[in-house]
Amino acid sequence: MKLKGKVFKYGTDVNTDVIIPARYLNVSDPAELAKYCMEDIDADFVKKVKPGDIIMAATNFGCGSSREHAPLAIKASGISCVIAHSFARIFFRNAINIGLPLLECAGAVDNTDAGDTLEVDLAEGKIKNLTSGRTFTASPYPDFMSEVIAAGGLVEYTKKRLAHT
Amino acid sequence: MNLAEKILAAHAGKNEVVPGEFISASVDMVLSNDITAPIAIKEFYRLGVSRVFDPSKIVMVADHFVPNKDILSAEQAKQMREFCHEQGIKFYDVGEMGIEHVLLPEQGLVLPGDVVIGADSHTCTYGAIGAFATGMGSTDIAVAMATGDIWMKVPPTIKFIYNGDLGKWVGGKDLILYTIGDIGVDGALYAAMEFTGDAIEALSMDGRFTMANMAIEAGGKAGLFHVDNKTQLYIKSRAKRSYLVYEPDVDAAYDRVIEYDVTSIEPQVSLPHSPANAKSVSEVGDVKIDQAVIGSCTNGRVEDLRLAAQVLKKHRVHSGVRCIIIPGSQQVYLEALAEGLIEIFIKAGAAFSTPTCGPCLGGHMGVLAEGERCISTTNRNFVGRMGSTKSEVYLANPAVAAASAVAGRIIDPEEVMH
Ligand code: SF4
């Protein structure tokens, strides 16, 4: 699957409180959460984001609380994948579990500017910056995670597992 | 094997596990709360199952937005209440609830050697009693509720050794803020932290809970303590089922070993907007505050309230400061009542409430306005964490928070007491 979109770029340690502030956690509907996505770090994000767009960030993206609302809000906002130097552990699990693609690729992040257009081939881990023409390759997923992703998330993966036992 | 590896190997039915290995571990307790349970319940039904694997190994706690702050949060609590009733799961509701990470160990629901997962990042708190406990998301919790096991990657372990004697007004909160200040908010990313040394042996159980609680603030997957006499004493009266105590091998391998001499560590304050911005209280400078919050899963236990009372006993809260004190559980509330702490707080001009997470996550009971500053015994001081994105949170121990409430600015408790 190829993804294509414009880049929103952030720094290190982007935490789940700024991705979706706790004042909106009295609901869990992704479309509702998406209305406030990134509000405390980038008030214009929701106005500007278009389906397919991509978030890029430095290290430890998604640190802080375990709220699955964070990847849900990002996914429902239209973002097609997040590329970072590294991700916080719980956010990484949550994103894979709900089917928000993540890629770890410091080179791509460091050589891309906000507003650039990227084309991403998830299966190959290939990231092409259409604005600059440069290409990058992300670290591959471990086998186990590829299986979860291929199944379409943890619920689908577990359903299959349950059907076999 | 080290402590984390021993517990995980036993729960994966293996003789040995190594860092980086993917395992399926059986779980002894699965937790969720009023924010994370509604999604977990929805995903649980999407799995096509109708019953949880074992209701006695699942618990739900309404603590973040209760007593309910608005209609939407009341709907969320209602969903949990109904699900628990239908499935025979223990639900801790208003009147019985406490903040989950204070409540579970206190009620003996988590025990040494357990694998515990919770849809809350501070689930790592139970490492204080020698359990492997870690936070996950709602979908993980849904799967564990259905199957009784969960996939995990065995983490590398960083061993921390704390030597020396703790100074006055210095406790678990200061050690962990100091540590995060040293290694950074991703200093233990994906790793287990094993806390050892004579300063740790000297630390109370409440101090150990505070430290384990903030392992996640260094990116850690778990924060573990060895089980000693203090742990056994704490557990003895609470455990209602059997448990196993694991000890690391003497030749256990660690990813890294970090050693600190605690003797010269002063009370710590983490400046906005990161727990890693830790400084000695004497280096903070003149910082006026509008609010002080004492409570949360980090510092809402009885020893924390005793420290605050020690400071507030002969002093009054500064006229320009709102001091909000929140016990971590009904049990803590009762102990504070019996010991006369609540009277001290009220006479000092503080507000005292029923247990709730409340202001810790900017939920209710003390949300900050633009430009306001709060000193808080909680664990996160991210932008907007307690309210306006233009407010500020300073993290500290209960004595520093209480002293600052008295002085109207951030201050060393020793200065207020003399
Ligand atoms: S007290 Fe704060 S950190 Fe602890 S569980 Fe509640 S909201 Fe989370």
Side-chain angles (χ1 to χ4, degrees):
Chain A
M1 186 172 58
K2 280 209 177 139
L3 314 169
K4 193 174 150 187
K6 276 205 165 51
V7 169
F8 288 82
K9 206 170 168 190
Y10 305 101
T12 58
D13 307 320
V14 173
N15 65 71
T16 54
D17 272 276
V18 295
I19 296 173
I20 183 75
R23 56 185 177 275
Y24 303 121
L25 297 185
N26 52 7
V27 295
S28 54
D29 173 34
E32 186 62 25
L33 293 167
K35 289 185 196 162
Y36 312 105
C37 188
M38 309 304 277
E39 186 175 289
D40 283 0
I41 188 173
D42 181 358
D44 292 334
F45 173 83
V46 176
K47 279 178 242 157
K48 291 201 223 136
V49 67
K50 300 222 166 51
D53 284 352
I54 290 163
I55 287 178
M56 279 191 146
T59 52
N60 205 22
F61 185 88
C63 63
S65 108
S66 69
R67 58 190 72 161
E68 206 160 291
H69 313 65
L72 284 172
I74 291 176
K75 192 178 173 198
S77 76
I79 288 291
S80 62
C81 83
V82 184
I83 305 170
H85 283 216
S86 64
F87 293 92
R89 186 188 65 81
I90 304 176
F91 182 89
F92 189 89
R93 278 188 88 102
N94 287 346
I96 299 295
N97 286 349
I98 65 144
L100 170 69
L102 305 180
L103 292 173
E104 285 188 344
C105 186
V109 175
D110 293 343
N111 293 290
T112 300
D113 295 320
D116 285 2
T117 302
L118 298 186
E119 190 177 77
V120 178
D121 182 333
L122 277 183
E124 305 262 310
K126 286 262 184 304
I127 301 162
K128 184 166 187 196
N129 186 325
L130 299 178
T131 311
S132 70
R134 297 183 64 174
T135 56
F136 309 90
T137 310
S139 340
Y141 289 115
D143 289 349
F144 170 77
M145 270 179 209
S146 302
E147 283 176 43
V148 175
I149 295 164
L154 189 66
V155 167
E156 281 70 22
Y157 175 86
T158 308
K159 264 188 186 169
K160 279 195 199 150
R161 210 184 105 202
L162 290 173
H164 284 295
T165 50
Chain B
M1 285 187 288
N2 57 47
L3 189 50
E5 289 160 2
K6 281 243 171 126
I7 300 173
L8 291 179
H11 285 77
K14 296 186 149 203
N15 292 327
E16 206 183 19
V17 294
V18 291
E21 181 180 349
F22 283 92
I23 56 165
S24 176
S26 62
V27 292
D28 299 293
M29 188 52 73
V30 183
L31 161 77
S32 54
N33 61 46
D34 50 331
I35 287 181
T36 55
I39 297 181
I41 294 167
K42 193 172 116 213
E43 296 302 305
F44 174 81
Y45 286 124
R46 273 218 310 136
L47 285 163
V49 289
S50 57
R51 306 299 301 176
V52 298
F53 84 105
D54 182 349
S56 72
K57 291 186 175 171
I58 299 169
V59 66
M60 292 194 180
V61 184
D63 56 358
H64 281 66
F65 294 153
V66 303
N68 290 129
K69 70 175 182 113
D70 56 19
I71 298 168
L72 291 171
S73 54
E75 296 290 346
Q76 288 185 308
K78 188 173 156 200
Q79 278 179 44
M80 298 172 83
R81 196 174 293 119
E82 287 171 357
F83 182 76
C84 288
H85 182 73
E86 174 195 306
Q87 297 284 338
I89 297 168
K90 176 70 191 168
F91 176 53
Y92 283 89
D93 210 338
V94 173
E96 193 185 13
M97 55 68 70
I99 299 171
E100 53 203 285
H101 311 308
V102 176
L103 187 74
L104 265 62
E106 172 200 282
Q107 295 297 315
L109 294 168
V110 290
L111 296 172
D114 281 357
V115 166
V116 184
I117 62 165
D120 190 277
S121 59
H122 293 102
T123 301
C124 52
T125 310
Y126 321 134
I129 54 167
F132 187 93
T134 190
M136 292 186 181
S138 298
T139 299
D140 280 314
I141 270 23
V143 167
M145 288 200 297
T147 64
D149 52 41
I150 193 73
W151 72 267
M152 250 193 243
K153 193 166 147 186
V154 178
T157 298
I158 307 173
K159 183 177 183 173
F160 292 83
I161 308 172
Y162 300 83
N163 293 314
D165 297 321
L166 289 175
K168 203 173 177 196
W169 309 113
V170 178
K173 184 61 162 288
D174 307 289
L175 293 186
I176 195 68
L177 291 182
Y178 183 86
T179 305
I180 298 165
D182 182 49
I183 66 172
V185 286
D186 60 354
L189 196 60
Y190 289 85
M193 304 167 85
E194 196 175 308
F195 300 110
T196 66
D198 27 290
I200 296 299
E201 281 164 36
L203 204 62
S204 66
M205 286 312 295
D206 283 3
R208 296 179 193 181
F209 282 120
T210 303
M211 287 186 75
N213 176 269
M214 290 193 71
I216 179 72
E217 260 56 70
K221 180 167 186 164
L224 294 117
F225 288 72
H226 300 175
V227 174
D228 62 8
N229 288 339
K230 280 185 191 162
T231 328
Q232 296 281 14
L233 201 68
Y234 179 91
I235 294 298
K236 219 167 66 188
S237 59
R238 304 166 199 266
K240 291 169 213 81
R241 57 181 164 90
S242 61
Y243 59 92
L244 284 171
V245 172
Y246 297 91
E247 276 168 23
D249 294 325
V250 273
D251 60 349
Y254 293 90
D255 193 55
R256 262 189 299 163
V257 178
I258 298 175
E259 227 168 312
Y260 299 113
D261 180 1
V262 306
T263 314
S264 57
I265 295 181
E266 275 184 45
Q268 299 288 301
V269 178
S270 285
L271 276 49
H273 293 282
S274 167
N277 288 341
K279 276 193 178 173
S280 295
V281 63
S282 61
E283 291 167 0
V284 171
D286 187 21
V287 178
K288 294 207 171 36
I289 55 157
D290 304 283
Q291 180 168 297
V293 168
I294 298 168
S296 84
C297 61
T298 318
N299 285 115
R301 298 179 183 82
V302 74
E303 189 185 289
D304 301 312
L305 300 191
R306 281 186 199 131
L307 270 173
Q310 209 181 322
V311 174
L312 291 174
K313 192 163 186 175
K314 294 212 173 76
H315 297 94
R316 264 198 82 76
V317 170
H318 193 274
S319 60
V321 177
R322 293 104 56 187
C323 181
I324 300 163
I325 306 179
I326 306 175
S329 69
Q330 293 289 81
Q331 184 63 42
V332 173
Y333 198 136
L334 269 178
E335 283 173 58
L337 186 68
E339 293 180 23
L341 309 183
I342 302 177
E343 192 175 338
I344 294 173
F345 296 145
I346 293 173
K347 285 189 172 154
F352 193 82
S353 101
T354 193
T356 181
C357 292
C360 171
L361 78 161
H364 59 148
M365 291 288 302
V367 176
L368 298 173
E370 183 173 331
E372 289 191 327
R373 276 201 203 109
C374 178
I375 188 151
S376 177
T377 68
T378 52
N379 46 39
R380 291 195 174 130
N381 55 353
F382 300 153
V383 169
R385 172 74 180 180
M386 289 182 86
S388 165
T389 52
K390 298 204 176 74
S391 63
E392 291 184 345
V393 179
Y394 293 71
L395 306 175
N397 76 34
V400 173
S404 306
V406 169
R409 61 187 173 89
I410 297 178
I411 198 169
D412 188 332
E414 204 50 26
E415 273 190 64
V416 169
M417 299 303 275
H418 287 111

